[in-house]
Amino acid sequence: MPKPKWKLNTIYISERLQESLRPISRCALTTVVAPMGYGKTTAVNWYLEERAKAGPLRVVRISVYSDNLAIFWRSAQDAFARAGIDLLREYACPTDAAGGGLLADDLCHELAGETPCYLFIDDFHLLTDQRVTAFLCMLAGRLPANVHLIIASRDRFLPAAEIVRLGARVYRLGTEQLRLNHTELAVYAHRCGTELSDAQAESLLYSSEGWFSAVYLNLRTLSEHGTLPERDSDIFTMFTAAMIEPLPQRQQEFLAVMGLADEFTVEMARFVTGDADAEELLAVLTAQNAFVKRLPDGVTYRFHHMMKECAERTFRTLDAETQRRCRERYGAWYEGRGQYLHAMAAYRRCGDYDALLRVVQEDAGILLASLPPSEVLAALDECPADALKAHPFALLVLMRSMFNWRNIPKMLELKALLLAALEEHPELPAQERGNLLGECDLIMSFLCYNDISAMSRLHRSASAQMSRPAISIRSNGGWTFGSPSVLMMFYRAPGELAGELAEMAECMPHYYKITNGHGQGAETIMRAEAAFVQGRFTDAHIALESAYAQIEGNGQENMALCCDFLAQRLSRYAEVDPHRSFAERRAELLRHHNASWLNLWNAVSAYCHALRGETELIPEVFAEHRLASVSILAPGRPMIEMIENQVYLAQGAYAKVIGRSEGLLALCEGMHYALVALHIRLQTASAYERLGKRREAETLLAQALADAAPDGIVMPFAENYRYLKPLLAAGTQTALTARVLALGEAGERRQSGTVRPAAFAVLTEREYALVGLMAQRLTNREIAEKLFLSEGSVKQYVNQIYSKLHIEGDQRTKRRRLAELLTQKA
């Protein structure tokens, strides 16, 4: 009787499992949750291949390899690019719910259409960051009907509340659907080339519990030895015995070395192993080993996790020098391709600290920031002091990282190492020494934040010594830490304004020189804001236009948004037209996919609409007080909290304003934010006045007037005039209060010109905004684009408007009657 021909690489998807996979196409989110080796990836890949046979299909496959969010994001970018979708290529990884919402909207817009689209995330259990889970649940709730998200994981990850919220949009597959039953095990064995007796099948089912990988390994042992393994065999021992030990020594070593990689190509395998025949070896391995796969892109290979685990165990049996050389080659491969986190890890494992520190310098702290600070500190503790001193530029990057992590003692310790290194090497060229000392001064200046005088001394020192831009500062990074105002950041104390403006004007050119123009225009914006808060509108407008010209085209939208903040505030009191409307600016920013810029726009918009009482136009994150979902840097937080206070005031939540004030004022005092504190006192005084607490309101107003007097600051009072008017009129009249009263009255008269006619009093702010656009003869589609609504929503609003105004007739008659109402006096 001829020996049976074994076909152990057979893919078997039982009819029962096929039926279980069908609902994937009807659900937004499918979770496939089971322990390692149950065939989760195989089942999903089979399903996607079957769907592809049925018609056009878009598939994005993302594999998770670690708990590092930056590495996951890079994998996602590469996966989308391989699928021909370039949306994520220049997209920064979202770090908060606001950024996640922007990404979700962009993904839904990009992927929507007639063609079915599947996003498959494999090995999700390796990524434990709960923000990712929250994002995927939110995305699943928004996905268009043609897009389906599939997530494979060893562990359950969906919160019970999300399962309830998503309802029929989520479909869950698990161990019960994936494990083999008695009949299926027999069918699978037959397809692999053997016929099991009922007793053998029963025994195998009992020992494996239908676990696909265990069944496979048992059949493999049967094919090679003629008997099934003992029931108490350890799975990894069984795997090694079946999949690695029978291989020739050369193949065993190849697997052991390449098991350290998450994914690899033939080119990488040649480089790391030094084996010119890597392609032939891989062809043999993939032909006879179901645990070595070539991915759908045709060039990338990946080990199954069981193969990877056993290969790594085998690697640890190699001699120490072989292990070191392999890890060194891995480091060199990753470094040459800008995969700096992988390179750092490889160099650290092989003890090559010179190479590790070289990569730290090359990375300039960008990807390093995604690592847990404790991990970086542990690596530093392992690193010999001599190696650190041999890489002074890496020390600068690490100093900046320690500042970002608020580990100031370690920052100063690294500075001491830098200075010691310079002292020990007097032969260092003067230019290089100057660059090192200058950048050290620049980094140390961050410890003097918003003390312009102290910062200026260090910036001038750095500028005098450096011949090149700093390596630890990116010019495209935000300069105001998310604040919409430069003046609010640097106005420290009453009576200091003139001196601070002069110091800022002197300081910033030195800072620009050594940072490639980071924060360009800051001193001009601050001068324009100072003129505004003093009520000098013409001077403010001139300086504002100078600032716009100074920053035009440099890509620093953070500074342009600070200009927009002033332009919008100025337009309420002078003949100044903002360069763009709120809607136009937001549409422009959306094209950049930058959540931090949109967060800043939200702050600008929220403050200005709150001042105008246009509460329905305030962005949701402020209107619904969801700032906890936004990542706000500590230096910018007081300004954002002050803006939220203004929103509470506009919404009539006066007790809330008062309750928050003590904590906000303490925060301002600790950071020397005198102008922000002035705003908060005025907001609190306004709230007390509205609640009939005149004495408390007068006390706060008196303190605010005393703080404002030395520098002639009037506009924070004028901006809150509708709340403060009774207090100001009843108080002692001074030159300052007289100026505030005059500005407040002028502002009210100016605003009265834009007050809606009485006939429109029944409309909401949003409805009245639509009326203005209808009066411009815009179509429903054009209105929808301007207000970020669907065309259907605009139609509903228009019908509501006509109903509330009791306007009837055909479309032309309705429009004519609407125009007539607009011409009536308020």
Side-chain angles (χ1 to χ4, degrees):
M1 184 175 179
K3 187 177 181 180
K5 184 176 180 181
W6 290 88
K7 295 174 286 184
L8 288 166
N9 280 7
T10 296
I11 300 297
Y12 172 59
I13 305 295
S14 69
E15 291 183 9
R16 179 175 60 89
L17 179 54
Q18 290 180 35
E19 286 301 313
S20 296
L21 293 169
R22 293 192 196 284
I24 293 175
S25 64
R26 302 193 295 270
C27 297
L29 170 63
T30 297
T31 65
V32 188
V33 179
M36 177 178 66
Y38 269 87
K40 301 183 292 295
T41 305
T42 301
V44 173
N45 283 338
W46 176 88
Y47 172 79
L48 293 175
E49 287 167 7
E50 291 299 306
R51 294 290 296 170
K53 293 174 186 176
L57 195 71
R58 289 209 287 182
V59 177
V60 179
R61 290 178 171 87
I62 305 170
S63 294
V64 180
Y65 294 111
S66 77
D67 195 25
N68 186 284
L69 192 57
I71 292 176
F72 170 71
W73 184 247
R74 176 68 178 268
S75 297
Q77 289 175 313
D78 291 344
F80 272 81
R82 282 197 297 268
I85 303 168
D86 292 328
L87 172 67
L88 300 192
R89 182 51 65 197
E90 301 302 324
Y91 218 119
C93 179
T95 56
D96 57 24
L102 173 64
L103 173 59
D105 288 344
D106 284 346
L107 280 173
C108 292
H109 181 267
E110 177 72 24
L111 302 177
E114 297 298 322
T115 304
C117 179
Y118 290 85
L119 310 180
F120 176 31
I121 304 178
D122 202 3
D123 292 320
F124 188 70
H125 55 275
L126 295 174
L127 194 61
T128 59
D129 193 318
Q130 293 303 308
R131 291 176 297 177
V132 181
T133 301
F135 168 76
L136 293 173
C137 290
M138 179 259 291
L139 178 63
R142 300 187 189 185
L143 285 175
N146 68 303
V147 184
H148 312 279
L149 178 60
I150 308 171
I151 303 176
S153 173
R154 291 186 202 169
D155 307 314
R156 291 188 177 130
F157 60 90
L158 276 185
E162 289 294 343
I163 294 173
V164 173
R165 184 183 68 84
L166 289 168
R169 293 181 70 82
V170 64
Y171 175 57
R172 293 184 289 165
L173 281 165
T175 307
E176 287 305 313
Q177 290 79 27
L178 293 166
R179 66 162 40 113
L180 297 169
N181 61 30
H182 187 286
T183 302
E184 291 161 352
L185 189 152
V187 171
Y188 175 52
H190 172 74
R191 293 192 180 186
C192 286
T194 188
E195 299 295 338
L196 297 178
S197 66
D198 284 343
Q200 284 178 314
E202 190 64 36
S203 175
L204 182 51
L205 184 64
Y206 177 81
S207 63
S208 68
E209 296 183 343
W211 180 9
F212 220 115
S213 290
V215 172
Y216 173 88
L217 291 172
N218 274 271
L219 293 177
R220 184 146 195 132
T221 302
L222 179 63
S223 74
E224 292 172 359
H225 302 289
T227 60
L228 292 170
E230 297 296 325
R231 284 190 178 184
D232 59 354
S233 297
D234 169 75
I235 187 67
F236 289 110
T237 301
M238 188 192 309
F239 189 100
T240 302
M243 305 303 300
I244 296 180
E245 288 176 356
L247 297 175
Q249 187 64 28
R250 186 179 171 207
Q251 290 185 26
Q252 286 190 40
E253 289 187 5
F254 182 88
L255 285 173
V257 173
M258 295 317 299
L260 301 181
D262 297 326
E263 293 179 352
F264 58 91
T265 60
V266 169
E267 182 188 5
M268 180 181 177
R270 284 199 196 100
F271 183 90
V272 173
T273 64
D275 198 323
D277 297 329
E279 188 168 12
E280 290 74 13
L281 281 171
L282 280 168
V284 171
L285 288 169
T286 52
Q288 66 185 24
N289 193 322
F291 293 89
V292 181
K293 292 287 187 183
R294 185 162 63 178
L295 299 184
D297 65 4
V299 297
T300 308
Y301 292 82
R302 184 188 186 201
F303 287 178
H304 186 278
H305 282 288
M306 281 202 294
M307 171 63 80
K308 189 172 170 59
E309 170 69 23
C310 291
E312 288 178 1
R313 292 184 183 194
T314 305
F315 180 81
R316 290 194 290 272
T317 68
L318 302 178
D319 65 86
E321 180 56 24
T322 299
Q323 291 187 46
R324 188 198 64 76
R325 278 200 314 272
C326 288
R327 292 193 185 279
E328 194 171 57
R329 289 192 197 121
Y330 266 110
W333 174 268
Y334 290 131
E335 181 184 359
R337 283 146 190 83
Q339 293 177 261
Y340 294 134
L341 291 179
H342 290 81
M344 290 178 208
Y347 286 138
R348 183 183 175 191
R349 292 292 298 273
C350 71
D352 191 344
Y353 293 104
D354 285 317
L356 170 62
L357 291 166
R358 181 179 66 238
V359 174
V360 168
Q361 178 183 331
E362 291 169 0
D363 174 56
I366 297 169
L367 292 173
L368 190 72
S370 69
L371 293 175
S374 58
E375 187 176 323
V376 179
L377 288 169
L380 279 174
D381 288 341
E382 298 168 6
C383 194
D386 287 343
L388 285 165
K389 288 192 284 188
H391 294 273
F393 287 106
L395 284 174
L396 291 171
V397 172
L398 290 165
M399 282 175 63
R400 177 67 197 273
S401 297
M402 293 304 145
F403 172 79
N404 291 342
W405 290 324
R406 309 309 295 164
N407 190 337
I408 306 307
K410 193 66 177 180
M411 175 186 175
L412 298 177
E413 183 184 320
L414 293 168
K415 177 191 175 185
L417 274 175
L418 174 65
L419 296 179
L422 294 178
E423 189 174 335
E424 292 170 13
H425 294 282
E427 77 283 359
L428 204 65
Q431 186 179 69
E432 187 172 346
R433 181 181 296 271
N435 285 329
L436 289 166
L437 288 171
E439 188 155 355
C440 180
D441 281 344
L442 172 62
I443 294 170
M444 293 304 294
S445 75
F446 302 143
L447 296 178
C448 309
Y449 168 68
N450 94 341
D451 183 344
I452 306 175
S453 181
M455 294 185 78
S456 181
R457 284 194 297 273
L458 289 164
H459 290 169
R460 288 197 302 270
S461 171
S463 175
Q465 297 177 86
M466 294 175 70
S467 60
R468 53 128 181 95
I471 63 171
S472 59
I473 302 285
R474 287 181 294 162
S475 62
N476 61 348
W479 189 83
T480 66
F481 299 100
S483 165
S485 167
V486 177
L487 183 63
M488 289 182 188
M489 295 172 66
F490 289 99
Y491 181 69
R492 286 171 63 89
E496 301 294 326
L497 183 56
E500 287 166 345
L501 289 171
E503 287 180 325
M504 194 74 161
E506 182 184 358
C507 168
M508 291 310 295
H510 296 290
Y511 180 79
Y512 298 150
K513 175 187 170 185
I514 55 178
T515 61
N516 265 334
H518 183 224
Q520 190 82 37
E523 77 283 12
T524 314
I525 296 170
M526 185 172 170
R527 188 173 76 249
E529 288 186 284
F532 172 73
V533 298
Q534 291 175 331
R536 297 184 290 111
F537 301 143
T538 300
D539 291 339
H541 191 193
I542 292 170
L544 173 63
E545 293 300 336
S546 297
Y548 270 124
Q550 196 173 349
I551 65 179
E552 186 176 3
N554 69 2
Q556 296 190 53
E557 291 295 328
N558 170 235
M559 307 312 295
L561 284 161
C562 289
C563 289
D564 293 345
F565 184 51
L566 177 57
Q568 291 289 347
R569 295 167 73 192
L570 189 56
S571 68
R572 296 187 67 219
Y573 297 92
E575 296 299 325
V576 174
D577 291 325
H579 285 204
R580 301 164 194 82
S581 69
F582 284 113
E584 289 167 341
R585 193 72 172 101
R586 185 177 188 277
E588 192 176 88
L589 291 171
L590 281 171
R591 291 195 290 270
H592 294 286
H593 313 299
N594 188 309
S596 64
W597 293 347
L598 280 167
N599 289 338
L600 189 47
W601 177 90
N602 284 335
V604 171
S605 178
Y607 183 76
C608 296
H609 287 307
L611 290 181
R612 297 168 184 167
E614 299 167 346
T615 55
E616 293 198 13
L617 299 180
I618 293 171
E620 271 186 21
V621 70
F622 278 91
E624 297 178 6
H625 305 286
R626 292 191 280 104
L627 283 180
S629 69
V630 178
S631 178
I632 304 172
L633 296 171
R637 179 167 289 280
M639 295 73 158
I640 302 303
E641 297 279 4
M642 180 276 289
I643 290 172
E644 184 171 34
N645 237 28
Q646 197 72 47
V647 172
Y648 275 125
L649 193 60
Q651 292 172 334
Y654 305 125
K656 191 78 173 177
V657 173
I658 295 166
R660 286 163 47 89
S661 66
E662 184 177 352
L664 294 180
L665 287 170
L667 189 61
C668 291
E669 183 177 352
M671 301 185 76
H672 306 287
Y673 281 164
L675 184 55
V676 184
L678 179 67
H679 277 271
I680 292 167
R681 286 194 178 92
L682 291 175
Q683 291 165 347
T684 312
S686 299
Y688 272 126
E689 172 64 17
R690 285 298 171 101
L691 291 176
K693 297 279 190 178
R694 175 60 65 92
R695 187 173 63 181
E696 291 87 344
E698 288 174 340
T699 300
L700 283 165
L701 179 61
Q703 185 176 352
L705 287 167
D707 288 342
D711 292 308
I713 294 175
V714 290
M715 289 312 296
F717 300 86
E719 288 184 320
N720 287 287
Y721 187 67
R722 63 181 170 132
Y723 306 108
L724 299 172
K725 183 175 180 178
L727 279 171
L728 289 163
T732 303
Q733 297 303 298
T734 64
L736 184 69
T737 55
R739 176 82 168 126
V740 169
L741 286 165
L743 286 166
E745 291 297 323
E748 286 200 337
R749 286 194 300 273
R750 182 177 174 82
Q751 292 304 306
S752 68
T754 61
V755 171
R756 68 176 70 176
F760 294 93
V762 294
L763 301 183
T764 66
E765 295 290 347
R766 174 55 66 95
E767 289 166 349
Y768 189 62
L770 257 81
V771 168
L773 296 174
M774 292 165 68
Q776 298 173 35
R777 299 181 181 278
L778 298 183
T779 65
N780 286 348
R781 175 171 292 183
E782 290 169 333
I783 293 172
E785 289 174 354
K786 282 186 173 292
L787 295 182
F788 310 105
L789 298 169
S790 69
E791 197 170 346
S793 295
V794 171
K795 289 178 182 177
Q796 289 178 1
Y797 271 117
V798 169
N799 290 334
Q800 286 173 207
I801 289 166
Y802 287 141
S803 175
K804 285 184 177 183
L805 298 178
H806 306 292
I807 295 176
E808 298 177 350
D810 59 25
Q811 196 64 26
R812 181 176 297 180
T813 302
K814 288 178 179 178
R815 286 265 181 163
R816 186 176 66 250
R817 178 60 184 144
L818 192 67
E820 291 170 356
L821 287 176
L822 278 169
T823 63
Q824 295 177 6
K825 297 294 182 184

